[in-house]
Structures are given as structure tokens and as C-alpha cells.
Amino acid sequence: MFPQVYRFRATGLAVLSALCMAAPAFAQAPRDTVPVTEDERPRGLVTREELMADRLRRIGVDNPDPAPTAPRNRADSLEWVRWRRAANSATGKRIVVSIYDRKLWLIDGRDTLIEAAAGVGMGVVRGPLGIGMRDFSTPRGRRTVLGKQPDPMWIPPDWHYEGLHDGPLRQFPAAGIALEEGGRIVRRGRHLVTVNGGQVVDTIPAERPLVFGGVMYIPPFGTVNREIPDVLGKYKLDTGDGILIHGTNDPLAVGFWGTHGCVRLFDDDIEFVFENAPVGTPVYIY
């Protein structure tokens, strides 16, 4: 009886040993089955803050912190304290913006009418190709709502066109642009048109980049070619010097340091502020 048990165990060991020796060869042998494609799904969630930091890094912000919570230096701290005190002591209807809280409040007396998440300026940015620096901070201080507009167009500053074209960048000439095939691109009121022999033969579409002869030209102010729709959302409040409170078609930046200096709100919030903050309303930014 015992020899039979021994033979069974020995036979089992021999089979296992043979399988182990054959395993490498089996693994290397070609298979007739279709190979399983690699799973390319993301392995983890990416936060909005990480997305915003990556965006800021790509557009030239060194060591981006899209959600800082305290002044960065003594001078900044003194300005923060000064204008925070001014905002806290103000009376009547006013708009208050906290850069470090990334919040906007519309207050009437002691009543807070709305508290809203806000996007604020991204700070100092390297220019295209690392040349030069631009400060896109939201300025602290007391401002005033100078005007309001529904369905606003964005009139971009010249810096918007930097880096959009690999070649030279120039202002649109007062005399127009001479075309190699004949004729010129000239301004006619709010439009840019092609003329040949004194006759208008074509109108340049507003969205078309003005690239001719390898040169990009910046559209002149006052033309439809300088107007960009949707960027400012449904409404804007103008506080002067290019600093707006407006909606957005890019909600990612709301709640972060991600604008070019303006205060950016979600559409529902800017609609409420637009309807309830009349022209003349003071704006405190700290």
C-alpha cells in the first residue's frame, strides 16, 4: 500500500516538474488568439486645480499656484490689508472681490445679495518664446461700474495676437495691405475688404486671421475683425482700464488665478450681478 502512495506522489511531482520546465517555451510560442489591446483609460482622477496649473504652466507661468491663499510678499500684504479694510468699512450697495478667496460678493448695506466663485488674474507670465514678461494680475483698489453690456464682444489687446503666428506680427497699415496677386486689403467702416481697380471684390470674414505674405497683421480697433464673440459670456460690467467683471465660455478658470486680470463668473452669477448692480456701483478689490 505504501509503495503505491509513494509512486503516486512521485508521478505527481514529475508532472509538475515537466510543466514548470515547459512554461517558458509555452509563453514564447506564437498564439493564434487576438492580442488584448492596452487599456488606455486614465488611472486616476485629475482635479480642476491640476488642470488649471498645467494650463498656466503651458502659457508661461513659472511655478503656477492657481489657488494661493495668502499674500506673496510684504508689499502685497500691505495692499491686501489696506483694501480689505476699505471694503469692510464701505456702506451702501457695493461689489467686493477677494483675490485670495477667489470670491465676489454683491452687498447692499448689511445684506449679502450673492456670493459667487470668481476667476482672477493669473499674475506674471512669460511672453511667447520666453521673451519678455507680462503682468496679468487683478489690480487691488476701489473701482466703479462705468458701464454694462449684454452679449458683449471681446476686443482683445495686441498681446492676444502674440504667438498665434510663427512669422512676423505687424499692425494693420493705414494704407492697407498690398496683395501679391494684385489689389489691396483696406478698411471700409467696420469691415476689411479686398479692393481691385477701385472696386470692392470681397469682404474679409471677421474670424479669418489676417495673414498675407507670411506676415500676420493685427486687426484695427473698431472693425468686426477685432471683435471675438462668446469669450466674455452673456454679460459684462466695465470698471475701466480693461478690467471687466464678466461671464465666460471657459468655466475651468472660475475659482482660480487664471484670467488676464478680469474677474470671471459663472453665467448664472454674472446675470444676477448684471441685473442688480447699477452703473455707478463701487467695486472693492483686495
Side-chain angles (χ1 to χ4, degrees):
M1 182 174 184
F2 291 106
Q4 293 177 354
V5 173
Y6 175 78
R7 283 196 301 271
F8 173 79
R9 289 176 177 172
T11 302
L13 291 173
V15 171
L16 288 174
S17 177
L19 287 174
C20 291
M21 294 176 64
F26 176 80
Q28 296 174 6
R31 295 176 293 177
D32 294 332
T33 57
V34 177
V36 178
T37 58
E38 183 178 352
D39 186 357
E40 297 180 351
R41 292 176 299 178
R43 298 298 180 183
L45 296 177
V46 179
T47 66
R48 292 181 68 236
E49 184 170 334
E50 290 172 325
L51 289 172
M52 199 66 224
D54 180 66
R55 173 189 291 186
L56 294 173
R57 191 177 295 108
R58 285 187 282 109
I59 64 177
V61 178
D62 296 320
N63 303 314
D65 181 0
T69 57
R72 295 179 173 179
N73 51 53
R74 176 173 172 77
D76 191 32
S77 178
L78 292 175
E79 282 290 287
W80 176 78
V81 169
R82 174 189 176 189
W83 291 110
R84 185 171 186 271
R85 287 175 176 170
N88 288 341
S89 62
T91 59
K93 181 172 282 190
R94 69 267 189 201
I95 294 172
V96 176
V97 178
S98 170
I99 293 174
Y100 288 108
D101 292 317
R102 295 170 300 284
K103 295 282 189 180
L104 176 146
W105 297 269
L106 177 60
I107 304 171
D108 191 358
R110 295 185 176 182
D111 297 329
T112 299
L113 304 182
I114 188 174
E115 175 182 324
V120 296
M122 66 184 73
V124 177
V125 179
R126 283 180 284 105
L129 304 178
I131 301 174
M133 306 294 288
R134 294 194 180 277
D135 189 353
F136 291 128
S137 302
T138 299
R140 291 186 176 83
R142 184 189 187 280
R143 313 182 71 86
T144 302
V145 176
L146 303 176
K148 306 196 303 181
Q149 183 181 356
D151 299 318
M153 290 284 191
W154 183 43
I155 312 300
D158 289 352
W159 52 253
H160 167 72
Y161 299 91
E162 297 174 357
L164 295 183
H165 178 62
D166 293 335
L169 177 67
R170 298 174 186 168
Q171 294 289 340
F172 189 88
I177 305 169
L179 301 176
E180 296 178 354
E181 63 273 18
R184 302 183 72 85
I185 305 294
V186 298
R187 178 174 181 173
R188 289 287 188 269
R190 284 177 36 81
H191 297 274
L192 300 178
V193 299
T194 305
V195 297
N196 200 336
Q199 299 294 320
V200 175
V201 296
D202 193 16
T203 299
I204 305 299
E207 67 278 5
R208 176 182 171 182
L210 302 181
V211 179
F212 301 95
V215 177
M216 170 172 274
Y217 294 91
I218 299 175
F221 285 109
T223 64
V224 296
N225 306 79
R226 189 69 179 241
E227 300 174 350
I228 301 179
D230 302 327
V231 173
L232 303 182
K234 296 180 179 179
Y235 305 96
K236 78 170 183 181
L237 289 78
D238 189 353
T239 70
D241 302 321
I243 303 301
L244 310 175
I245 302 172
H246 62 81
T248 184
N249 64 348
D250 179 26
L252 174 62
V254 175
F256 293 111
W257 287 37
T259 78
H260 292 98
C262 292
V263 177
R264 186 180 300 182
L265 306 180
F266 290 121
D267 284 344
D268 289 345
D269 295 332
I270 187 60
E271 182 176 6
F272 183 90
V273 175
F274 181 88
E275 292 176 347
N276 291 278
V279 171
T281 301
V283 180
Y284 294 88
I285 303 176
Y286 65 86

